[in-house]
Amino acid sequence: GAGVSQSPRYKVAKRGQDVALRCDPISGHVSLFWYQQALGQGPEFLTYFQNEAQLDKSGLPSDRFFAERPEGSVSTLKIQRTQQEDSAVYLCASSLGGGRSHPGYTFGSGTRLTVV
Amino acid sequence: QQQVKQSPQSLIVQKGGISIINCAYENTAFDYFPWYQQFPGKGPALLIAIRPDVSEKKEGRFTISFNKSAKQFSLHIMDSQPGDSATYFCAAIEGSGGGADGLTFGKGTHLIIQP
């Protein structure tokens, strides 16, 4: 597609429920990033993939958060046993270059997760 | 520890005026500084970016001014228009391999351009 596609756009989860958020990056983009954006805040880095390799997961807040990109294209962010503090917009971004070769960093519109 | 501090939190400018948003950073290893624009319900979109080897970069109505010694950089929007009303984020990253692979963002500035 022309842009980064994320699904679902909105997700309401009961506390303790597991959720899976999907990201379809721009075709051919090597790098894929996940960010968490709390209400009224800037995005915070979660994790980075170069093709199928997860090269940096330093931003994942706890071991309840897990991300994968098994074939180097679509990525899934999974949150186990959701807590209220997980409520945020989860943004996916992709770029053509590997590593830190910016610009070309295109964000999706995000998935808004609300944990009740 | 907030590595990129952004101000003001909100800003109201009259149409045709100049909007100025400021950021300060602490990590001297940062070497790439982009600005993003975000509309409600959308992801951030890259506006303009600068590296520390230049003091100013201009693209259309948008200009970044960079002061390496003061560890500060700012976004100027000339001839501000109602369509510029959005939230603006500054960001930074180390390009040479240190630190995280993701951008460090400021907390954002909510800009309103009054007609």
Side-chain angles (χ1 to χ4, degrees):
Chain A
V4 177
S5 178
Q6 292 189 245
S7 61
R9 286 284 283 124
Y10 304 93
K11 176 69 178 178
V12 178
K14 291 184 177 179
R15 190 160 59 95
Q17 184 179 357
D18 296 351
V19 299
L21 312 179
R22 177 187 170 104
C23 173
D24 280 272
I26 294 172
S27 179
H29 275 199
V30 169
S31 295
L32 185 145
F33 304 81
W34 284 98
Y35 285 80
Q36 180 190 59
Q37 186 173 22
L39 187 64
Q41 302 293 316
E44 292 194 0
F45 169 73
L46 294 177
T47 188
Y48 162 61
F49 289 86
Q50 183 171 323
N51 296 307
E52 70 278 2
Q54 188 175 20
L55 299 186
D56 188 346
K57 51 183 180 179
S58 62
L60 296 176
S62 78
D63 58 7
R64 296 185 296 105
F65 287 71
F66 172 77
E68 60 184 7
R69 193 186 185 197
E71 298 179 355
S73 55
V74 171
S75 177
T76 303
L77 176 67
K78 297 179 179 178
I79 308 173
Q80 297 176 326
R81 305 180 304 280
T82 52
Q83 303 294 317
Q84 283 193 320
E85 62 262 29
D86 300 335
S87 295
V89 174
Y90 289 86
L91 294 165
C92 177
S94 70
S95 68
L96 185 60
R100 302 171 188 212
S101 57
H102 304 276
Y105 216 87
T106 303
F107 280 90
S109 293
T111 294
R112 180 177 295 279
L113 173 65
T114 303
V115 181
V116 298
Chain B
Q1 181 185 11
Q2 186 185 357
Q3 293 198 61
V4 179
K5 294 184 179 179
Q6 183 171 347
S7 63
Q9 187 174 357
S10 61
L11 179 63
I12 299 174
V13 175
Q14 295 296 316
K15 179 182 175 182
I18 302 173
S19 303
I20 302 173
I21 303 170
N22 301 299
C23 283
Y25 63 96
E26 299 164 6
N27 184 351
T28 55
F30 285 152
D31 64 358
Y32 178 79
F33 302 89
W35 284 89
Y36 283 82
Q37 178 189 58
Q38 186 175 32
F39 294 105
K42 300 294 185 182
L46 179 65
L47 262 182
I48 185 173
I50 197 168
R51 295 192 184 274
D53 52 347
V54 297
S55 60
E56 185 174 283
K57 183 174 181 180
K58 183 176 181 179
E59 290 184 2
R61 296 186 294 110
F62 300 93
T63 299
I64 300 179
S65 297
F66 188 85
N67 185 329
K68 187 174 181 178
S69 61
K71 294 187 286 185
Q72 295 175 345
F73 58 111
S74 60
L75 176 69
H76 292 61
I77 306 174
M78 312 300 286
D79 186 27
S80 299
Q81 299 297 312
D84 297 330
S85 297
T87 301
Y88 292 80
F89 294 96
C90 60
I93 191 170
E94 295 180 40
S96 55
D101 278 291
L103 292 162
T104 298
F105 283 84
K107 290 191 173 184
T109 296
H110 184 50
L111 174 65
I112 296 173
I113 307 300
Q114 289 187 332

